[in-house]
Amino acid sequence: MDRYAVIGHPIAHSKSPRIHAAFARQTGQDISYEALLAPIDGFAAAVAAFRAAGGRGVNVTVPFKLDAHALANRLSARARAAGAVNTLVFDGDDIFGDNTDGAGLVRDLTVNLDCDIADRRVLLLGAGGAARGVLLPLIDARPATLTLANRRADKARELCAACPPRAGVALDAGGLGEPGGLAGRQFDIVINATSASLAAEVPDLPAGIYAPGALAYDMMYGAGDTAYMIAARAAGATRLADGLGMLVEQAAESFALWRGMRPETTVLLAELRDEMEQH
Ligand code: ATR
């Protein structure tokens, strides 16, 4: 039986074992998937032990995505652009690092939420690891414009400058609340990739940024609406979503990388949503 795992610190509340067990059942793949707690300074040792015990791949979560990036001897283009790795594939001596977060976000938007990105005006809030992790797949989805806005404007500009150019995609960056910044502009998709929700805060946005029919998307998730979703609704956004779909889709993308087949996600996503609302 091929072994897989998610490695993090903490890890007890990870939904990944539940998600991958469901994918394995559904696709008839005979695999095991466990949650591994690694000490903060012990990521490489935990991976080495898991490989020695026959591990074929791992998902990597907080705080080890940079360690996984450093450990891989080969990287996908999207992992290189993200500067972080959430999926490792082991094959003999080879450690391949990929990042499926952005693909998960794009698939959740375009398939689950039926929200086209192509030719739309997209605003990405935040310039930390979460924002950087989804940048390349977002650009590759060919929005008309992609605007990066962060509390600290310099970080947004730095991230924007590091973006690979794409024909037909206009990129710009600035500070939240910066004079002449977002005021007066409208967006079709606004994605919150800040960690503000962790402190029950919301990014400070000017009035009127949600175009008619715009989608406000929070990469965080939880039971009920997130603080950002509540603020976005009050500010006129009519379509709202949290990041649970992104979680399931990044997992499906990792599973496909390991097993060569993409699981179906609709039923599982509905089940996870129900479970979350009940607790
Ligand atoms: P992550 O890996 O989750 O992206 P991070 O790298 O620590 O975490 O980045 C946190 C992001 O959330 C940053 O973009 C941060 O803005 P600053 O760079 O200006 O600090 C953003 N953030 C955190 N709290 C925020 C708040 N209350 N309002 C707006 N942005 C916030």
Side-chain angles (χ1 to χ4, degrees), residues 62 125-132 149-156 176 192-204 220:
V62 176
L125 304 171
R132 188 174 170 189
N150 193 48
R151 200 167 47 179
R152 273 184 50 195
D154 57 327
K155 277 173 68 182
L176 288 167
N192 180 27
T194 73
S195 56
S197 310
L198 294 177
E201 292 171 357
V202 290
D204 191 16
M220 300 263 170

Side-chain angles (χ1 to χ4, degrees), residues 85-270:
V85 156
N86 80 337
T87 308
L88 290 172
V89 186
F90 309 135
D91 186 10
D93 287 341
D94 188 52
I95 302 181
F96 176 65
D98 199 354
N99 193 315
T100 63
D101 285 334
L105 170 67
V106 167
R107 195 170 168 97
D108 193 34
L109 287 169
T110 56
V111 179
N112 299 338
L113 298 165
D114 199 17
C115 178
D116 273 345
I117 300 171
D119 302 325
R120 313 290 289 277
R121 296 161 293 180
V122 177
L123 172 60
L124 183 62
L125 304 171
R132 188 174 170 189
V134 299
L135 211 48
L136 191 61
L138 261 187
I139 294 171
D140 284 342
R142 308 275 170 166
T145 62
L146 177 60
T147 300
L148 310 182
N150 193 48
R151 200 167 47 179
R152 273 184 50 195
D154 57 327
K155 277 173 68 182
R157 294 209 173 89
E158 223 170 90
L159 198 57
C160 186
C163 280
R166 286 286 181 281
V169 182
L171 292 170
D172 71 297
L176 288 167
E178 214 171 30
L182 298 174
R185 296 181 64 183
Q186 286 209 316
F187 298 90
D188 306 300
I189 303 173
V190 181
I191 300 164
N192 180 27
T194 73
S195 56
S197 310
L198 294 177
E201 292 171 357
V202 290
D204 191 16
L205 295 170
I209 62 151
Y210 296 99
L215 172 70
Y217 189 101
D218 197 345
M219 282 171 52
M220 300 263 170
Y221 62 86
D225 290 347
T226 65
Y228 168 68
M229 288 161 73
I230 292 166
R233 181 184 289 114
T238 49
R239 299 191 63 199
L240 305 151
D242 72 6
L244 188 67
M246 175 178 168
L247 174 79
V248 173
E249 294 300 341
Q250 62 78 32
E253 186 81 8
S254 295
F255 190 91
L257 201 64
W258 291 327
R259 308 304 300 179
M261 59 183 73
R262 175 167 253 289
E264 212 280 319
T265 52
T266 314
V267 173
L268 176 63
L269 184 51

Side-chain angles (χ1 to χ4, degrees), residues 7 38-52 64 67-68 70-71 88 90 95:
I7 305 187
I40 294 291
D41 59 354
F43 176 74
V47 168
F50 188 65
R51 285 176 72 203
F64 297 129
D67 299 71
L71 188 70
L88 290 172
F90 309 135
I95 302 181

